Amino acid sequence: VEFGCGTGYFTPLLAQLSGEVIATDIAEPMLDLARERIRDLANVTVQVQDCEQTTFSPNSFNTAFLGLTFQLVDGPKTLAEMNRILRPGGNLILAIPTMEGLCLRDKLGCILRNVRAYGRIRPPGTRLYTRQSLLPLITRGGFTVLDAEPLSDPDHPGGFSGLYVRATKM
């Protein structure tokens, strides 16, 4: 299951790596864009879901992927829900922006984008995690962190810096 699929940027890759993908987002207009992008992928279903409280049954999935989404939600609540819907030994995969590696200009750019988009410095639910704050949070959520590797994209307009995290449900 993919949460926060947005326009479906990661969905085609996930579909290549999986037998079946359920791509979700809370915004129907984003799902419309995702449907257009993935219209030829027979193994993908698109639906509205909130990763903090889904309608999925317990132990439903082998893997949950949150790409560029976790920083926008209530972290502990989302981890509890991922723990509920993943099977024992299931994988949680996050690609998340972090504060490490951002220069002062980029940090200020993040603040200014939030002010323009939300009318204030930080919208509700948005977190700018560090490696030191994120990994213990994931562990407290009932997961064992297997990998945590830095991600960066110097060509990204805001200078993307983040972490790729793979954890397993205990």
Side-chain angles (χ1 to χ4, degrees):
V1 63
E2 175 186 16
F3 290 100
C5 72
T7 63
Y9 179 80
F10 291 111
T11 310
L13 175 61
L14 296 172
Q16 287 177 8
L17 300 171
S18 306
E20 180 183 357
V21 174
I22 299 175
T24 74
D25 203 291
I26 60 170
E28 190 65 50
M30 296 304 276
L31 291 174
D32 290 339
L33 295 170
R35 285 182 187 99
E36 181 63 27
R37 177 174 276 181
I38 57 134
R39 67 180 173 271
D40 297 329
L41 300 176
N43 64 332
V44 178
T45 305
V46 176
Q47 61 182 255
V48 173
Q49 287 286 337
D50 181 345
C51 65
E52 293 179 6
Q53 185 175 0
T54 73
T55 61
F56 298 126
S57 299
N59 304 314
S60 296
F61 299 99
N62 293 322
T63 303
F65 174 76
L66 290 87
L68 308 179
T69 301
F70 193 76
Q71 74 280 7
L72 300 173
V73 299
D74 181 309
K77 192 172 183 180
T78 299
L79 289 169
E81 184 64 6
M82 296 304 103
N83 197 300
R84 187 185 74 78
I85 66 168
L86 284 170
R87 293 180 179 119
N91 287 302
L92 172 67
I93 300 172
L94 305 175
I96 179 171
T98 59
M99 291 299 291
E100 286 96 359
L102 291 180
C103 67
L104 179 59
R105 178 184 60 90
D106 292 336
K107 290 175 185 177
L108 291 174
C110 290
I111 292 168
L112 291 175
R113 278 192 299 280
N114 281 343
V115 169
R116 282 194 302 268
Y118 302 101
R120 60 177 147 190
I121 291 176
R122 194 172 94 183
T126 300
R127 306 287 187 268
L128 289 175
Y129 290 102
T130 64
R131 180 184 186 101
Q132 289 74 28
S133 66
L134 181 63
L135 300 183
L137 179 69
I138 293 169
T139 301
R140 285 191 306 273
F143 294 90
T144 300
V145 175
L146 303 173
D147 298 302
E149 300 175 19
L151 294 173
S152 65
D153 182 358
D155 296 327
H156 187 276
F160 178 82
S161 175
L163 276 179
Y164 160 82
V165 178
R166 185 172 62 98
T168 188
K169 178 179 172 179
M170 290 190 239

